[in-house]
Amino acid sequence: MRMDNKIDPKELEDFPDEERPLEYQTETGSLNIFGFWMFLGAEIVLFSALFGTYFVLIFRTDSSVLPTELFDMGLVLAMTFTLLTSSFTSGLAINEMRLGNARRMMIWIGITLVLGLGFLGMEIYEFVEFASEGATLATSAFWSAFFLLLGTHGVHVAMGVAWFIIILIQIKMRGLNPVTANKTFIASLYWHFLDVIWIFIFTGVYLLRLVIA
Amino acid sequence: MVMLLGGCNLRVLDPQGTVGEQQRDLIILSIIFMLIIVLVVFILLTYFLVKYREREGHRGYDPDIDGSVKLEVVWTVVPIIIVTILSVPTVYTIFNIEEVPEANTEEEEPLVIHATSANWKWIFSYPEEDIETVNYINIPAERPVLFRLTSADSMASFWVPQLGGQRYNMAGMQTELYLQAGEEGTYYGRNANFTGEGFAEMRFDVNAIDETEFNEWVTDVQEEAPQLTQETYDQFMVPGHVEEYTFSGTHLEWVDHALDPEYALEARARQGYEPIHPHASEAPDDVPTWDIDVDTDVTERQESYIEENQESDSHHHHH
Amino acid sequence: MDPAWDEFIITGEPFILAGQIAILVTTIGIIFILTYFKKWKWLWNEWITTPDHRKIGIMYIIASLLMMIRAGVDAMMMRTQLAAPNMPFLGEAQHYNEIFTTHGTIMIIFVATPFLIGLMNVAVPLQIGARDVAFPFVNNLSFWTFFWGAMLFNISFVIGGAPDAGWSAYMPLASNDLSMGPGQNFYLLGLQISGIGTLATGINLVTTIIKMRAKGMTLMRMPMFTWTTLITSLIIIGSFPILTVALAMQTFDRLWDAAFFTLQDGGMPMMWVNLFWLWGHPEVYIVILPAFGIFSEIITTFARKRLFGYTSMVFAIAAISGLSFLVWVHHFFTMGAGPMVNSFFSISTMAIAVPTGVKIFNWLATLHRGRIRFNVPMVWALGFIPNFTIGGVTGVMLAMAAADYQYHNTYFLVSHFHYVLIAGTIFGCFAGTIYWWPKMFGVKLNERLGHWVFWLFMIGFNVTFFPQYFLGLDGMPRRIYTYFPEDGWFSLNFLSTVGAYMMGFAFVLLVYNMYYSYRYEKRETSGDAWGGRTLEWATSSAIPPHYNFAQIPEVKDQDAFWQMKQEGVDPNGVEEYQDVHMPNHSGNPFVMCVFMFIGGFGLVFHWWTIGIIGALGIFACMIQRSFSRDDGHIVSAEEVRKEEAEIREGQANENG
């Protein structure tokens, strides 16, 4: 009855392994990346719950101001473009990291940071606008769900920005080594993930509103 | 255990209406199956423990057996069969108790009663008869009753064990439940879902009476009982207990809690009620029992009516 | 919110006053003892900051036992109050409501879950031949989030008032309008903080098990407890974020007037019920699957036989974990979702009986042709089978929606879930603790006392809960603080209370046994206390050295250590010692979690400044951690050789 699965002996070999990319070279680094993927799994569940809530409450505006009256698609497109570009630039940073070019890598991270801050600025502007039009967390079930979903994403982006800043300082202090490379790689994974979430927000929250009343 | 079940007059296993009877039958069927499973497990366990305990003359030790496809298939397939067998009557009953139970009365259409829970009391509206009762209902025996359930505030569960299973009352929602009493008598009904301090006493009587008697009672109430006004009704929205009350007219004229979940909170505000921290020094020890101010010019008639009603009530308590 | 002084510290309740005095006396006592014996440094260096999985596991177990005492006292008070109709014991409903709320919440969140996580911490790295978990720092952090979350929840009954809306905290009852005061806020923030740790543990253990198994240990050679831990951790990852979101939404409703579940502004109370059970049902399996794993280990060890149907066991756990996400509606069949929905969830729920049945019969078949020894861990495992079966079959009865309308919210349900949670989870926790006790403390618990504990507890458990099936069928709802003589529920309730006291006594005896055995029992000399089959018993000493294995053993079979013993291989016969890489101690997680506690406490009372101080403290700790260079340390081959030699010498002296 037993299934004696053959295990790939490579899996069990000791680290560090010079053949691997920098961020995978230590055992800790490799575990960190795997663990972070697990964490992203949990994040997917978290955002699924938030999206689920949002869709359940989508019509429960309770005679408050309607989203269609407030959504500014021009702004949203600008936000989307900014965040998507930042995802691309963080990918370029990792590419430079793989090539061992710390300076260029830091420049790309810097650009990513600026774009991330730009996105946050636009989001804060949007929220302030909405609040001035009478749509806040306490307005109605719909707006509660809207602000919690977008707010959670926004807080994640802010955390990502803070994280990148910390990493930049560490690379500056300690240079590009397996530890800092590992951190940068994970932070960029996180950044790509936030980008994917935003694409869902863009379609599920904003675009969908063009279709349904 | 079967003897125990048969010996006790457990309310759920002693139903007095067609809905409860279907549920009892399903329960008994499941108990029989489950007893067989329990028995098999107990016997096998005892047998193996006695036979293979470490002792002088122990035989048959074989540490390397690691399974048997045949046996494992058996105890995968057998539970599947049992679950399938139990699924059929389950699904049948689930669907069947959503249907109108059969009437054995002149009036075949079900009687409609809106049962609204409000911390911690039950408010019953008879829209077709245009009357309202609090903390008790009279229903004609053998005529199906359609309960339209909702709540003014916290989520409750409407349950009359001897007539059939429960269903939730939720503010801003309406759920439906068919019940039918096969025998005349007074049945214990209650809120089964925790709603806070006054939950334990949130009970009501279901008086199943003869159809003609019921019709007379309805006419009496329509003519004699005080008119329910919004001002009177709002007092019921304040958390607390109340005695039994009877009114002509229903609150459905100005509010259906299934459509307006905010009404109770607004009514509390109108009544000047403020929630109190349960550990504050001014918080009462017990849940208050409010004396509702029935503010109409028919108060006197109501009093005489209540006396009458209590008499007839005690008359029905013979069950 | 600015509560008056008498609302902040609860006054005027004799039992709460007793609790306050007890807390004060215990705290002073602990501080005195630690100072007198100069143990503060030891406590900080050896325990609070430890990255060692075994020590973290022990801390989890001790904290869970303390929580079990708290929630057990709650249970005693509830049973006393219900012993007779119109009992004046607790005075009024409010007090009872707080007690059953904290009983349920603590038992699930702060006993069952962390107790099992503690056992996982102790056993799993050893079972897979690892030196520690994948993220020892995070492991320490997980423990302290649990601990401080539990503290935040527990102080509620002396400060501010305990939550009183039930452990399921249904809205709108738990909203500001219907549950005034800070009580429910304690629930929300206490659970939120400890939930972070549970999720982190899940991630940690998945990574550990997937990436750190000894050479040769394929997935299908993993010990069953490791398997259940892996699957449980995956369920944690898949379900705890839902709780996080639900708690956050209720917190926003209560603290910042959001309208997720409120009566006003279009809120939807039903959504709380759905989200709660979308987490809550998987949570049930989070606390039962590891217990299944423990029983598998114990039954094979003491029947001295390979597990029957290993593969089907693995598939059964996987099936249960999958189904656990598809049955949540059975917690509220009575919501009236319609016959189609109820039929679907009835069948999906009953389907769980299939893999569970497979497991029960596989355990029975494992006994067949074994040589069964009745040591204390084994009697708990054997007691589990019949008692859990009763819980299981009543579960099938509850799954039949049409019948469930009659059981729902009654003592039938109460009895059912105690039959699965006590006979499953609690028996499993006790069995596992006793089984791995020598691994933790180098000594076995006294067997004679142990048997007494088992029989008292098991009989008491049945006396308590079996009558409750009948009370439920007689229409007694759960969560009522009293009933009337004419209800006819007196005799069965009284019996139930008697049983509860038996269980309470048995528990006291169990704790006494821990003390007694520590003082008087013979120390274990070898690492293999019971004739074990899996790698945790292959360590060189009874309490494993801090690096676990001087040399990671190579696994050739499903019961790796059993196979080594059969073939005469000494797992500790190391020819050439090697450097060992071990994690460093860190006080950062403890400090970070203290800030979580402070911030949470501030939010409970709407004291925003304190909340912000807490948040800033947390961020400061995170930044400190990010900048600290923590690459662990190397234990040199020479040190390892010395320590192993000492262990051998000690054993030789004991035996010689």
Side-chain angles (χ1 to χ4, degrees):
Chain A
M1 279 297 293
R2 267 173 304 134
M3 289 171 31
D4 283 313
N5 287 351
K6 287 277 179 299
I7 193 159
D8 182 6
K10 251 192 197 156
E11 290 268 287
L12 300 161
E13 262 170 27
D14 278 328
F15 298 97
D17 185 345
E18 302 280 320
E19 300 274 291
R20 290 164 183 266
L22 201 54
E23 67 272 17
Y24 280 101
Q25 275 185 10
T26 63
E27 187 184 352
T28 316
S30 170
L31 289 175
N32 285 349
I33 292 169
F34 184 89
F36 198 77
W37 276 108
M38 289 294 121
F39 172 73
L40 289 184
E43 288 273 57
I44 289 171
V45 179
L46 183 110
F47 277 101
S48 306
L50 289 171
F51 273 107
T53 306
Y54 177 81
F55 289 122
V56 167
L57 299 177
I58 196 161
F59 294 117
R60 296 196 159 229
T61 43
D62 191 52
S63 68
S64 64
V65 55
L66 290 172
T68 38
E69 298 166 30
L70 296 187
F71 285 178
D72 174 358
M73 287 312 281
L75 182 68
V76 174
L77 275 173
M79 285 163 79
T80 309
F81 182 73
T82 312
L83 202 63
L84 252 63
T85 312
S86 79
S87 195
F88 180 64
T89 55
S90 83
L92 290 176
I94 296 301
N95 191 42
E96 294 297 342
M97 183 182 89
R98 290 258 168 89
L99 297 173
N101 195 333
R103 207 179 62 83
R104 282 203 201 161
M105 167 190 163
M106 286 170 74
I107 291 171
W108 283 121
I109 292 178
I111 294 170
T112 308
L113 266 177
V114 171
L115 290 169
L117 283 169
F119 171 85
L120 277 178
M122 284 187 270
E123 184 153 66
I124 291 167
Y125 168 79
E126 187 194 33
F127 281 13
V128 172
E129 279 293 295
F130 286 4
S132 70
E133 300 285 336
T136 67
L137 184 77
T139 306
S140 69
F142 168 80
W143 285 110
S144 294
F146 173 87
F147 281 109
L148 187 65
L149 172 59
L150 271 82
T152 307
H153 178 264
V155 168
H156 275 72
V157 173
M159 299 281 279
V161 167
W163 196 2
F164 268 136
I165 292 173
I166 289 171
I167 289 170
L168 271 186
I169 297 171
Q170 288 180 14
I171 299 173
K172 189 85 194 155
M173 283 164 63
R174 297 168 190 168
L176 188 59
N177 58 34
V179 176
T180 47
N182 184 257
K183 287 185 182 186
T184 317
F185 182 77
I186 290 174
S188 99
L189 268 187
Y190 180 72
W191 199 258
H192 290 313
F193 170 77
L194 295 182
D195 201 43
V196 173
I197 295 292
W198 180 259
I199 290 167
F200 279 98
I201 290 178
F202 176 66
T203 33
V205 175
Y206 293 104
L207 278 187
L208 192 68
R209 273 292 165 183
L210 298 177
V211 188
I212 59 165
Chain B
M1 196 164 120
V2 177
M3 264 172 54
L4 262 172
L5 291 178
C8 306
N9 268 328
L10 301 172
R11 288 181 175 91
V12 166
L13 300 182
D14 179 28
Q16 300 296 323
T18 49
V19 178
E21 277 160 12
Q22 293 179 59
Q23 287 166 328
R24 181 211 40 209
D25 295 345
L26 190 63
I27 291 170
I28 298 287
L29 177 79
S30 66
I31 288 178
I32 293 167
F33 271 92
M34 295 307 133
L35 275 179
I36 296 169
I37 295 167
V38 168
L39 225 61
V40 171
V41 171
F42 278 41
I43 289 169
L44 280 177
L45 178 67
T46 317
Y47 176 71
F48 290 158
L49 289 187
V50 171
K51 182 148 186 221
Y52 296 107
R53 71 188 194 277
E54 189 167 59
R55 63 187 156 125
E56 289 288 306
H58 180 285
R59 277 188 314 176
Y61 179 51
D62 184 353
D64 291 325
I65 305 173
D66 65 359
S68 148
V69 177
K70 214 186 281 173
L71 280 174
E72 285 164 57
V73 167
V74 168
W75 55 63
T76 311
V77 171
V78 172
I80 290 176
I81 294 171
I82 295 176
V83 165
T84 313
I85 293 175
L86 288 175
S87 294
V88 175
T90 301
V91 172
Y92 177 80
T93 316
I94 290 173
F95 276 87
N96 212 36
I97 56 182
E98 302 294 323
E99 303 290 322
V100 194
E102 210 174 301
N104 204 5
T105 43
E106 224 168 276
E107 180 58 59
E108 288 183 2
E109 284 299 299
L111 170 70
V112 176
I113 300 178
H114 286 246
T116 305
S117 64
N119 284 359
W120 292 281
K121 48 196 99 65
W122 285 98
I123 301 161
F124 298 101
S125 322
Y126 297 66
E128 282 153 36
E129 289 73 17
D130 198 31
I131 60 173
E132 184 143 315
T133 61
V134 176
N135 284 342
Y136 80 95
I137 39 173
N138 288 349
I139 57 168
E142 298 191 83
R143 179 176 164 192
V145 186
L146 170 58
F147 289 97
R148 293 190 195 278
L149 310 172
T150 190
S151 168
D153 37 40
S154 44
M155 186 171 93
S157 190
F158 176 89
W159 190 31
V160 189
Q162 282 193 290
L163 298 188
Q166 62 197 283
R167 192 143 294 178
Y168 286 161
N169 301 65
M170 293 173 287
M173 292 288 298
Q174 181 171 281
T175 45
E176 293 186 347
L177 178 68
Y178 281 110
L179 291 179
Q180 187 244 35
E183 300 279 336
E184 288 178 29
T186 295
Y187 303 107
Y188 147 84
R190 68 165 306 124
N191 168 21
N193 193 65
F194 179 64
T195 47
E197 269 193 278
F199 164 62
E201 296 91 353
M202 195 170 159
R203 305 169 169 222
F204 57 93
D205 275 337
V206 180
N207 306 308
I209 53 181
D210 175 71
E211 194 182 13
T212 11
E213 202 183 332
F214 174 78
N215 292 335
E216 279 167 22
W217 171 75
V218 168
T219 323
D220 277 359
V221 174
Q222 284 166 339
E223 288 168 1
E224 309 265 330
Q227 180 74 30
L228 182 66
T229 65
Q230 188 166 0
E231 216 161 295
T232 309
Y233 182 74
D234 281 0
Q235 298 172 53
F236 288 105
M237 297 297 106
V238 177
H241 294 305
V242 296
E243 303 293 328
E244 294 183 354
Y245 286 89
T246 313
F247 299 99
S248 58
T250 72
H251 73 266
L252 299 173
E253 281 163 36
W254 58 86
V255 61
D256 180 351
H257 296 277
L259 303 173
D260 183 3
E262 299 187 26
Y263 182 87
L265 298 176
E266 292 159 2
R268 286 175 178 196
R270 285 197 291 272
Q271 292 288 320
Y273 170 82
E274 297 243 359
I276 309 173
H277 185 302
H279 289 287
S281 46
E282 69 271 21
D285 272 352
D286 289 313
V287 178
T289 301
W290 304 118
D291 211 1
I292 300 297
D293 183 13
V294 182
D295 183 25
T296 64
D297 48 1
V298 282
T299 313
E300 273 179 37
R301 273 196 289 160
Q302 187 222 8
E303 273 165 14
S304 66
Y305 171 76
I306 284 176
E307 275 166 32
E308 237 173 74
N309 188 44
Q310 275 165 351
E311 274 167 31
S312 64
D313 242 0
S314 55
H315 172 67
H316 292 300
H317 270 289
H318 58 75
H319 179 73
Chain C
M1 187 170 22
D2 219 358
W5 185 244
D6 66 329
E7 289 173 24
F8 183 66
I9 302 279
I10 303 297
T11 53
E13 303 270 357
F15 290 108
I16 292 178
L17 183 66
Q20 285 162 335
I21 293 169
I23 291 173
L24 205 67
V25 170
T26 318
T27 313
I28 293 171
I30 291 171
I31 292 173
F32 176 76
I33 289 171
L34 287 173
T35 313
Y36 186 81
F37 292 101
K38 299 195 171 67
K39 289 288 186 189
W40 284 107
K41 219 171 164 185
W42 166 82
L43 190 68
W44 178 263
N45 288 335
E46 292 293 313
W47 292 93
I48 291 176
T49 60
T50 186
D52 184 331
H53 69 94
R54 187 182 63 89
K55 286 186 175 170
I56 290 172
I58 290 172
M59 291 198 290
Y60 262 115
I61 291 168
I62 291 172
S64 307
L65 280 169
L66 289 173
M67 287 293 101
M68 199 189 271
I69 293 172
R70 152 85 217 257
V73 171
D74 283 349
M76 292 304 179
M77 291 200 280
M78 282 154 69
R79 277 320 318 167
T80 310
Q81 169 66 22
L82 290 175
N86 291 328
M87 269 291 263
F89 177 65
L90 290 176
E92 21 125 15
Q94 179 63 27
H95 200 171
Y96 184 85
N97 296 348
E98 292 177 6
I99 288 172
F100 81 68
T101 302
T102 52
H103 168 78
T105 314
I106 293 175
M107 281 294 189
I108 295 284
I109 306 280
F110 302 126
V111 177
T113 317
F115 207 131
L116 290 163
I117 289 177
L119 291 169
M120 291 172 186
N121 262 298
V122 169
V124 168
L126 289 164
Q127 283 197 328
I128 61 172
R131 296 218 154 91
D132 208 316
V133 294
F135 311 113
F137 175 89
V138 176
N139 204 18
N140 184 292
L141 179 71
S142 292
F143 171 74
W144 289 114
T145 55
F146 148 66
F147 180 85
W148 286 107
M151 288 302 113
L152 183 60
F153 182 87
N154 272 275
I155 53 161
S156 65
F157 90 104
V158 289
I159 296 176
D164 58 359
W167 90 279
S168 45
Y170 275 10
M171 290 291 263
L173 178 64
S175 68
N176 279 332
D177 297 309
L178 304 176
S179 289
M180 253 293 273
Q184 185 59 21
N185 299 347
F186 277 112
Y187 169 98
L188 293 167
L189 289 150
L191 263 61
Q192 192 69 283
I193 290 172
S194 73
I196 298 167
T198 313
L199 179 61
T201 299
I203 293 170
N204 208 340
L205 288 170
V206 170
T207 312
T208 307
I209 295 171
I210 297 289
K211 299 294 259 186
M212 295 172 72
R213 298 191 306 279
K215 194 171 181 181
M217 182 174 280
T218 58
L219 283 178
M220 291 313 264
R221 281 181 186 166
M222 293 198 310
M224 204 39 78
F225 183 59
T226 300
W227 254 116
T228 54
T229 299
L230 174 63
I231 302 264
T232 302
S233 303
L234 289 170
I235 304 179
I236 288 175
I237 295 171
S239 67
F240 262 77
I242 305 174
L243 178 70
T244 306
V245 168
L247 289 173
M249 292 198 286
Q250 200 182 104
T251 310
F252 276 87
D253 275 4
R254 286 184 62 91
L255 297 185
W256 296 292
D257 288 324
F260 291 104
F261 313 119
T262 52
L263 292 170
Q264 307 98 319
D265 305 329
M268 199 176 193
M270 280 191 305
M271 195 172 62
W272 166 265
V273 181
N274 275 280
L275 287 170
F276 182 84
W277 289 114
L278 261 168
W279 159 78
H281 199 84
E283 166 68 14
V284 172
Y285 291 92
I286 290 169
V287 298
I288 198 66
L289 289 180
F292 286 173
I294 293 168
F295 294 128
S296 296
E297 301 294 342
I298 291 175
I299 289 173
T300 48
T301 301
F302 293 96
R304 286 181 284 169
K305 200 168 156 278
R306 198 182 270 279
L307 185 67
F308 194 93
Y310 177 94
T311 314
S312 63
M313 285 300 224
V314 172
F315 280 107
I317 323 164
I320 292 172
S321 72
L323 284 169
S324 76
F325 284 92
L326 298 174
V327 297
W328 81 95
V329 169
H330 74 215
H331 294 273
F332 46 93
F333 277 141
T334 49
M335 199 178 257
M340 274 312 286
V341 174
N342 281 359
S343 298
F344 172 83
F345 283 96
S346 273
I347 294 169
S348 66
T349 306
M350 280 193 269
I352 290 189
V354 177
T356 315
V358 169
K359 292 186 76 73
I360 295 272
F361 283 101
N362 277 339
W363 284 314
L364 285 174
T366 306
L367 297 173
H368 179 244
R369 306 198 70 173
R371 263 173 83 167
I372 303 163
R373 280 182 186 160
F374 293 92
N375 292 80
V376 179
M378 185 61 163
V379 291
W380 284 103
L382 294 173
F384 149 79
I385 293 176
N387 286 302
F388 185 82
T389 304
I390 295 175
V393 295
T394 47
V396 175
M397 291 170 69
L398 279 152
M400 302 161 75
D404 173 77
Y405 305 156
Q406 287 283 31
Y407 310 132
H408 185 60
N409 270 330
T410 72
Y411 266 84
F412 190 92
L413 171 73
V414 172
S415 185
H416 156 72
F417 68 66
H418 282 95
Y419 261 87
V420 286
L421 285 173
I422 293 180
T425 308
I426 299 298
F427 280 25
C429 288
F430 287 169
T433 308
I434 299 164
Y435 180 60
W436 284 307
W437 194 263
K439 208 58 359 201
M440 292 186 265
F441 300 104
V443 64
K444 277 185 196 166
L445 288 178
N446 180 283
E447 287 264 317
R448 219 170 96 85
L449 274 169
H451 280 284
W452 272 101
V453 172
F454 168 74
W455 286 105
L456 269 170
F457 194 88
M458 205 271 280
I459 294 168
F461 159 68
N462 277 287
V463 173
T464 310
F465 293 103
F466 204 69
Q468 293 184 0
Y469 284 122
F470 300 94
L471 285 170
L473 290 175
D474 204 21
M476 179 169 167
R478 67 197 289 211
R479 294 174 170 179
I480 52 171
Y481 81 105
T482 196
Y483 50 92
F484 306 130
E486 60 268 29
D487 291 326
W489 300 329
F490 166 58
S491 39
L492 288 175
N493 267 302
F494 188 78
L495 195 61
S496 183
T497 304
V498 171
Y501 276 90
M502 281 176 77
M503 288 168 80
F505 180 66
F507 182 76
V508 173
L509 208 57
L510 174 71
V511 174
Y512 171 72
N513 195 6
M514 291 171 181
Y515 163 78
Y516 176 88
S517 306
Y518 176 74
R519 287 294 299 274
Y520 304 112
E521 284 292 297
K522 204 163 76 68
R523 306 293 116 163
E524 280 299 313
T525 52
S526 87
D528 186 13
W530 306 106
R533 310 175 68 82
T534 41
L535 284 183
E536 74 266 38
W537 306 107
T539 57
S540 54
S541 55
I543 300 177
H546 68 105
Y547 45 78
N548 287 353
F549 301 96
Q551 178 184 297
I552 302 297
E554 197 176 331
V555 174
K556 296 204 170 106
D557 191 17
Q558 169 193 306
D559 292 317
F561 185 45
W562 174 263
Q563 177 263 345
M564 287 178 194
K565 286 191 280 190
Q566 297 298 96
E567 294 176 10
V569 177
D570 177 8
N572 296 300
V574 184
E575 280 164 16
E576 196 186 340
Y577 289 97
Q578 305 218 313
D579 290 353
V580 172
H581 180 219
M582 294 304 290
N584 287 342
H585 287 237
S586 169
N588 181 312
F590 182 80
V591 177
M592 195 193 303
C593 295
V594 170
F595 277 115
M596 286 188 195
F597 175 85
I598 293 170
F601 188 79
L603 291 186
V604 164
F605 288 98
H606 301 202
W607 293 334
W608 310 127
T609 325
I610 296 181
I612 290 167
I613 291 171
L616 291 176
I618 296 167
F619 286 129
C621 286
M622 285 171 146
I623 292 169
Q624 191 275 337
R625 171 68 186 165
S626 182
F627 277 94
S628 71
R629 286 180 198 239
D630 181 9
D631 302 329
H633 60 277
I634 300 290
V635 183
S636 72
E638 182 52 27
E639 285 172 75
V640 176
R641 193 193 57 76
K642 248 198 224 152
E643 191 156 345
E644 291 291 308
E646 269 169 37
I647 290 167
R648 294 204 173 214
E649 203 176 316
Q651 280 164 350
N653 290 343
E654 287 279 344
N655 295 336

